[in-house]
Structures are given as structure tokens and as C-alpha cells.
Amino acid sequence: MADPRIIDIKLDERTILWRNADVEQERRIAIFDLLEDNHFAPQRVHEDGYAGPYKVLLRVEDGRLVIEMQREDDSPLEAVILGLGRFRRPIREYFAICDSYYQAINNASPQQIETVDMARRGIHNQAAEMLMERLEGKIEVDFDTARRLFTLICVLHIKG
């Protein structure tokens, strides 16, 4: 019986060099929301027909995103590796708009905060669509899962 979803996700803590309280909160929310509702279906057919659920480890290695997948019993399944070159700009833009958003929360009017938040969501949505395209043929994910995975990919890129 197929169960195409993530039941546990971890980030390689060695990859994360620094994070502040806002980033930590974003990470916690993304993981919580992801585990509550996601669609994650690797497209490779396994000999025994295993089709979920999955435990996932995200890490960055040599400029590439590594998505390590395990079965529910912790036995390894496969790893999908994606080049991150196309994500450099969206990640940089997302960091910049998030900084603006956190500053606006403290200093700006509600209308200004809403404007910055709309821009933040727009960048996030575009990056999620890009991630879905890059995963095509490798892992099928829905839009909300892609958004949350992009948030976690950004967390892995924080350098301080």
C-alpha cells in the first residue's frame, strides 16, 4: 500500500553555521507544517514495491542538495542529488526579503508589512515552483511540500 509522504525530516546540522531566533522559528514551522501535511513520492520503483512513508535527511554537499531517503524502519532507500546553481538567486532574494520583513515588523505600518510579506510570498512561491520542476521525474511533491522544502533548503544555506 503506497503512503507517499514524509514522516520525519532532519537537516544536516553540520551544514548550518548560524541561525537566529527568526530563522529557527521558520525552520520549526516549516518542519511542523511539512509533517502535518505533505505529498512526497519518489519516482524510482523499488524491487519490493516500497512506496512510503519516508524519513528524509537534507544536506548540502559540494554545492548540491542531497535528499537522503529512508524507509519507515530506517533502512536506506536512495539519495537524490540536485545542483543548487539555479537556486542561488532565489535563496539570496528570499534572505533579503525576509530581512526586510523582520525589520518591517518592528518599524513599519501594517500596510508596509503586508506589502513586504506579499513580496516574500511571491519569491517563495516562485522558488517552490522551480523546486518542483527540478524534482520532476525524481520526486513528485505538491506545491505546499515544495514551499516547505525550499524554506528548509534556505536554512541549510545560512552562513552567518
PDB file of all heavy atoms in Angstrom, residues 47-62:
ATOM      1  N   GLU A  47      12.446  -2.595  -5.847  1.00  0.00           N
ATOM      2  CA  GLU A  47      12.171  -4.006  -6.145  1.00  0.00           C
ATOM      3  C   GLU A  47      11.047  -4.587  -5.298  1.00  0.00           C
ATOM      4  O   GLU A  47      10.241  -5.373  -5.783  1.00  0.00           O
ATOM      5  CB  GLU A  47      13.440  -4.843  -5.958  1.00  0.00           C
ATOM      6  CG  GLU A  47      14.443  -4.654  -7.054  1.00  0.00           C
ATOM      7  CD  GLU A  47      15.656  -5.552  -6.880  1.00  0.00           C
ATOM      8  OE1 GLU A  47      15.566  -6.572  -6.183  1.00  0.00           O
ATOM      9  OE2 GLU A  47      16.694  -5.206  -7.459  1.00  0.00           O
ATOM     10  N   ASP A  48      11.004  -4.205  -4.035  1.00  0.00           N
ATOM     11  CA  ASP A  48       9.967  -4.751  -3.148  1.00  0.00           C
ATOM     12  C   ASP A  48       8.675  -3.942  -3.191  1.00  0.00           C
ATOM     13  O   ASP A  48       7.733  -4.232  -2.461  1.00  0.00           O
ATOM     14  CB  ASP A  48      10.485  -4.851  -1.716  1.00  0.00           C
ATOM     15  CG  ASP A  48      10.799  -3.496  -1.093  1.00  0.00           C
ATOM     16  OD1 ASP A  48      10.702  -2.459  -1.788  1.00  0.00           O
ATOM     17  OD2 ASP A  48      11.147  -3.475   0.099  1.00  0.00           O
ATOM     18  N   GLY A  49       8.628  -2.901  -4.030  1.00  0.00           N
ATOM     19  CA  GLY A  49       7.421  -2.100  -4.184  1.00  0.00           C
ATOM     20  C   GLY A  49       7.213  -1.051  -3.108  1.00  0.00           C
ATOM     21  O   GLY A  49       6.166  -0.410  -3.062  1.00  0.00           O
ATOM     22  N   TYR A  50       8.229  -0.832  -2.243  1.00  0.00           N
ATOM     23  CA  TYR A  50       8.071   0.152  -1.160  1.00  0.00           C
ATOM     24  C   TYR A  50       7.738   1.516  -1.755  1.00  0.00           C
ATOM     25  O   TYR A  50       8.411   1.990  -2.666  1.00  0.00           O
ATOM     26  CB  TYR A  50       9.349   0.235  -0.315  1.00  0.00           C
ATOM     27  CG  TYR A  50       9.158   1.063   0.937  1.00  0.00           C
ATOM     28  CD1 TYR A  50       8.596   0.503   2.072  1.00  0.00           C
ATOM     29  CD2 TYR A  50       9.510   2.407   0.969  1.00  0.00           C
ATOM     30  CE1 TYR A  50       8.393   1.254   3.224  1.00  0.00           C
ATOM     31  CE2 TYR A  50       9.314   3.166   2.113  1.00  0.00           C
ATOM     32  CZ  TYR A  50       8.761   2.584   3.225  1.00  0.00           C
ATOM     33  OH  TYR A  50       8.558   3.327   4.358  1.00  0.00           O
ATOM     34  N   ALA A  51       6.697   2.156  -1.216  1.00  0.00           N
ATOM     35  CA  ALA A  51       6.255   3.459  -1.723  1.00  0.00           C
ATOM     36  C   ALA A  51       5.845   4.382  -0.580  1.00  0.00           C
ATOM     37  O   ALA A  51       4.875   5.121  -0.679  1.00  0.00           O
ATOM     38  CB  ALA A  51       5.110   3.273  -2.698  1.00  0.00           C
ATOM     39  N   GLY A  52       6.600   4.326   0.524  1.00  0.00           N
ATOM     40  CA  GLY A  52       6.367   5.235   1.624  1.00  0.00           C
ATOM     41  C   GLY A  52       5.780   4.544   2.826  1.00  0.00           C
ATOM     42  O   GLY A  52       5.351   3.388   2.735  1.00  0.00           O
ATOM     43  N   PRO A  53       5.812   5.228   3.924  1.00  0.00           N
ATOM     44  CA  PRO A  53       6.280   6.600   4.165  1.00  0.00           C
ATOM     45  C   PRO A  53       7.808   6.680   4.237  1.00  0.00           C
ATOM     46  O   PRO A  53       8.495   5.664   4.286  1.00  0.00           O
ATOM     47  CB  PRO A  53       5.643   6.939   5.510  1.00  0.00           C
ATOM     48  CG  PRO A  53       5.542   5.631   6.227  1.00  0.00           C
ATOM     49  CD  PRO A  53       5.283   4.606   5.152  1.00  0.00           C
ATOM     50  N   TYR A  54       8.314   7.943   4.266  1.00  0.00           N
ATOM     51  CA  TYR A  54       9.745   8.200   4.156  1.00  0.00           C
ATOM     52  C   TYR A  54      10.276   9.025   5.320  1.00  0.00           C
ATOM     53  O   TYR A  54       9.591   9.899   5.843  1.00  0.00           O
ATOM     54  CB  TYR A  54      10.046   8.951   2.852  1.00  0.00           C
ATOM     55  CG  TYR A  54       9.575   8.200   1.652  1.00  0.00           C
ATOM     56  CD1 TYR A  54       8.324   8.452   1.103  1.00  0.00           C
ATOM     57  CD2 TYR A  54      10.353   7.207   1.074  1.00  0.00           C
ATOM     58  CE1 TYR A  54       7.866   7.737   0.007  1.00  0.00           C
ATOM     59  CE2 TYR A  54       9.912   6.488  -0.024  1.00  0.00           C
ATOM     60  CZ  TYR A  54       8.674   6.753  -0.549  1.00  0.00           C
ATOM     61  OH  TYR A  54       8.222   6.043  -1.621  1.00  0.00           O
ATOM     62  N   LYS A  55      11.509   8.733   5.663  1.00  0.00           N
ATOM     63  CA  LYS A  55      12.292   9.587   6.546  1.00  0.00           C
ATOM     64  C   LYS A  55      13.323  10.250   5.647  1.00  0.00           C
ATOM     65  O   LYS A  55      13.924   9.590   4.797  1.00  0.00           O
ATOM     66  CB  LYS A  55      12.958   8.773   7.651  1.00  0.00           C
ATOM     67  CG  LYS A  55      11.956   8.172   8.622  1.00  0.00           C
ATOM     68  CD  LYS A  55      12.649   7.433   9.733  1.00  0.00           C
ATOM     69  CE  LYS A  55      11.627   6.888  10.731  1.00  0.00           C
ATOM     70  NZ  LYS A  55      12.304   6.186  11.844  1.00  0.00           N
ATOM     71  N   VAL A  56      13.516  11.562   5.831  1.00  0.00           N
ATOM     72  CA  VAL A  56      14.352  12.336   4.916  1.00  0.00           C
ATOM     73  C   VAL A  56      15.410  13.100   5.697  1.00  0.00           C
ATOM     74  O   VAL A  56      15.133  13.661   6.758  1.00  0.00           O
ATOM     75  CB  VAL A  56      13.474  13.320   4.099  1.00  0.00           C
ATOM     76  CG1 VAL A  56      14.308  14.252   3.246  1.00  0.00           C
ATOM     77  CG2 VAL A  56      12.472  12.551   3.244  1.00  0.00           C
ATOM     78  N   LEU A  57      16.611  13.119   5.148  1.00  0.00           N
ATOM     79  CA  LEU A  57      17.693  13.971   5.635  1.00  0.00           C
ATOM     80  C   LEU A  57      18.074  14.896   4.497  1.00  0.00           C
ATOM     81  O   LEU A  57      18.356  14.434   3.382  1.00  0.00           O
ATOM     82  CB  LEU A  57      18.916  13.147   6.064  1.00  0.00           C
ATOM     83  CG  LEU A  57      20.171  13.963   6.390  1.00  0.00           C
ATOM     84  CD1 LEU A  57      19.970  14.800   7.653  1.00  0.00           C
ATOM     85  CD2 LEU A  57      21.388  13.075   6.518  1.00  0.00           C
ATOM     86  N   LEU A  58      18.064  16.202   4.765  1.00  0.00           N
ATOM     87  CA  LEU A  58      18.504  17.191   3.784  1.00  0.00           C
ATOM     88  C   LEU A  58      19.892  17.672   4.164  1.00  0.00           C
ATOM     89  O   LEU A  58      20.129  18.005   5.328  1.00  0.00           O
ATOM     90  CB  LEU A  58      17.561  18.398   3.758  1.00  0.00           C
ATOM     91  CG  LEU A  58      16.123  18.183   3.329  1.00  0.00           C
ATOM     92  CD1 LEU A  58      15.367  19.504   3.396  1.00  0.00           C
ATOM     93  CD2 LEU A  58      16.044  17.600   1.938  1.00  0.00           C
ATOM     94  N   ARG A  59      20.770  17.745   3.169  1.00  0.00           N
ATOM     95  CA  ARG A  59      22.098  18.303   3.413  1.00  0.00           C
ATOM     96  C   ARG A  59      22.625  18.919   2.134  1.00  0.00           C
ATOM     97  O   ARG A  59      22.132  18.622   1.036  1.00  0.00           O
ATOM     98  CB  ARG A  59      23.050  17.245   3.957  1.00  0.00           C
ATOM     99  CG  ARG A  59      23.331  16.088   3.066  1.00  0.00           C
ATOM    100  CD  ARG A  59      24.183  15.036   3.791  1.00  0.00           C
ATOM    101  NE  ARG A  59      24.202  13.791   3.056  1.00  0.00           N
ATOM    102  CZ  ARG A  59      25.093  13.480   2.109  1.00  0.00           C
ATOM    103  NH1 ARG A  59      26.054  14.340   1.807  1.00  0.00           N
ATOM    104  NH2 ARG A  59      25.023  12.337   1.478  1.00  0.00           N
ATOM    105  N   VAL A  60      23.598  19.791   2.298  1.00  0.00           N
ATOM    106  CA  VAL A  60      24.264  20.396   1.158  1.00  0.00           C
ATOM    107  C   VAL A  60      25.692  19.877   1.153  1.00  0.00           C
ATOM    108  O   VAL A  60      26.380  19.895   2.174  1.00  0.00           O
ATOM    109  CB  VAL A  60      24.251  21.943   1.240  1.00  0.00           C
ATOM    110  CG1 VAL A  60      25.067  22.556   0.118  1.00  0.00           C
ATOM    111  CG2 VAL A  60      22.816  22.449   1.188  1.00  0.00           C
ATOM    112  N   GLU A  61      26.103  19.400  -0.011  1.00  0.00           N
ATOM    113  CA  GLU A  61      27.443  18.849  -0.169  1.00  0.00           C
ATOM    114  C   GLU A  61      27.988  19.299  -1.517  1.00  0.00           C
ATOM    115  O   GLU A  61      27.388  19.034  -2.554  1.00  0.00           O
ATOM    116  CB  GLU A  61      27.355  17.320  -0.102  1.00  0.00           C
ATOM    117  CG  GLU A  61      28.670  16.611  -0.113  1.00  0.00           C
ATOM    118  CD  GLU A  61      28.464  15.116   0.045  1.00  0.00           C
ATOM    119  OE1 GLU A  61      28.055  14.710   1.147  1.00  0.00           O
ATOM    120  OE2 GLU A  61      28.693  14.386  -0.922  1.00  0.00           O
ATOM    121  N   ASP A  62      29.135  19.987  -1.487  1.00  0.00           N
ATOM    122  CA  ASP A  62      29.771  20.455  -2.720  1.00  0.00           C
ATOM    123  C   ASP A  62      28.818  21.252  -3.603  1.00  0.00           C
ATOM    124  O   ASP A  62      28.778  21.051  -4.818  1.00  0.00           O
ATOM    125  CB  ASP A  62      30.362  19.278  -3.507  1.00  0.00           C
ATOM    126  CG  ASP A  62      31.431  18.532  -2.735  1.00  0.00           C
ATOM    127  OD1 ASP A  62      32.189  19.194  -1.977  1.00  0.00           O
ATOM    128  OD2 ASP A  62      31.518  17.295  -2.875  1.00  0.00           O
TER     129      ASP A  62
END
